[in-house]
Amino acid sequence: PLSRFLCNLPGAGGNPWVGAVYILTLITGAGLIRFMFFSVRRNERGVWLRLGNVVYTLRGGRPKILAPGHPALRFPFVWRLVKVSVGIRTNRPPDVETMRADPADGVRRKWVLRCDVNWRVQTGAFRVARAALRADDLEETVVATITNAVRAALYAAPVGTMETDADVLAAIKPRCSAQLAGLGVAVTGIKIATLAPVDAQVLADSIAVSPYGASTRPTLR
């Protein structure tokens, strides 16, 4: 029955192999059409790249951005569309450990900060284009930049002067805004999970002030 079906296909001429080629051609053509025509989602923007470079409009010299709801045609090999999410993203950086000065005695002690960071790609055409060019490592670069800014801000702020989400956010923005802008990104919020002295530091301080002297060692039970 299969051979009879293939023989009766248009253009097969009674040859089942020609009919099989005809079926494969239809499947391949349908796949190419589906591959070439597409659109971006609501929280995405599409940036056109040609041979790895951003494509600019003829008028105004702005990057060609594909907005949600607008269909587009993909050109294989030469033209490529990079989809960039412009929604708010949340990441938890590695624990940030730094030394903070205690105003009570002026001594710096180890503190640790665990937090969630909210950031997003800005929707301006040039900002989205910058993010598209770093799409492969954008998230890692953004998290590393914010982590370094948080560490520097905590080091500069004595204990008791920067303890809330708003305080940390206000302190890191001047330190990393320029770098994030070069990536087309802005930090939008920070949620602190833990901000406290490191447990080992607390234990060391308690030993140092022990009435039996600094050489006292705790007994584990």
Side-chain angles (χ1 to χ4, degrees):
L2 178 59
S3 297
R4 191 179 307 113
F5 171 76
L6 294 175
C7 290
N8 293 330
L9 288 175
N15 189 329
W17 294 107
V18 176
V21 172
Y22 178 80
I23 293 294
L24 291 176
T25 303
L26 288 178
I27 295 174
T28 304
L32 286 175
I33 291 174
R34 184 174 180 181
F35 171 80
M36 293 179 66
F37 292 94
F38 64 99
S39 61
V40 297
R41 301 192 190 104
R42 182 180 60 182
N43 289 331
E44 291 181 336
R45 299 293 186 273
V47 180
W48 285 109
L49 301 181
R50 183 172 58 229
L51 298 177
N53 298 313
V54 177
V55 178
Y56 294 89
T57 59
L58 296 178
R59 295 181 180 179
R62 297 173 60 83
K64 292 188 68 173
I65 305 297
L66 182 63
H70 293 273
L73 181 65
R74 195 194 311 261
F75 300 94
F77 307 114
V78 178
W79 287 59
R80 183 166 68 96
L81 186 89
V82 177
K83 295 183 180 181
V84 178
S85 173
V86 295
I88 295 178
R89 311 187 202 183
T90 301
N91 293 97
R92 172 159 289 190
D95 294 351
V96 178
E97 289 192 12
T98 188
M99 305 293 290
R100 300 188 71 189
D102 191 338
D105 53 14
V107 177
R108 286 190 176 273
R109 295 180 175 84
K110 288 184 180 179
W111 278 62
V112 62
L113 170 68
R114 298 183 183 93
C115 64
D116 292 325
V117 176
N118 299 328
W119 59 279
R120 64 176 300 178
V121 174
Q122 297 177 297
T123 55
F126 289 96
R127 298 296 177 89
V128 173
R130 292 173 191 170
L133 292 174
R134 296 294 302 269
D136 293 337
D137 63 346
L138 179 64
E139 183 172 302
E140 293 81 358
T141 305
V142 169
V143 172
T145 300
I146 295 176
T147 301
N148 292 335
V150 169
R151 182 178 290 108
L154 283 176
Y155 184 87
V159 176
T161 61
M162 190 172 66
E163 308 294 334
T164 67
D165 300 343
D167 292 338
V168 176
L169 182 61
I172 70 168
K173 277 189 173 182
R175 297 177 180 272
C176 64
S177 292
Q179 292 174 283
L180 294 180
L183 301 170
V185 170
V187 58
T188 61
I190 286 182
K191 180 66 176 178
I192 295 176
T194 302
L195 178 58
V198 176
D199 293 340
Q201 183 67 59
V202 174
L203 181 61
D205 290 343
S206 65
I207 293 175
V209 299
S210 170
Y212 300 102
S215 62
T216 303
R217 294 292 183 268
T219 301
L220 300 179
R221 296 182 184 275

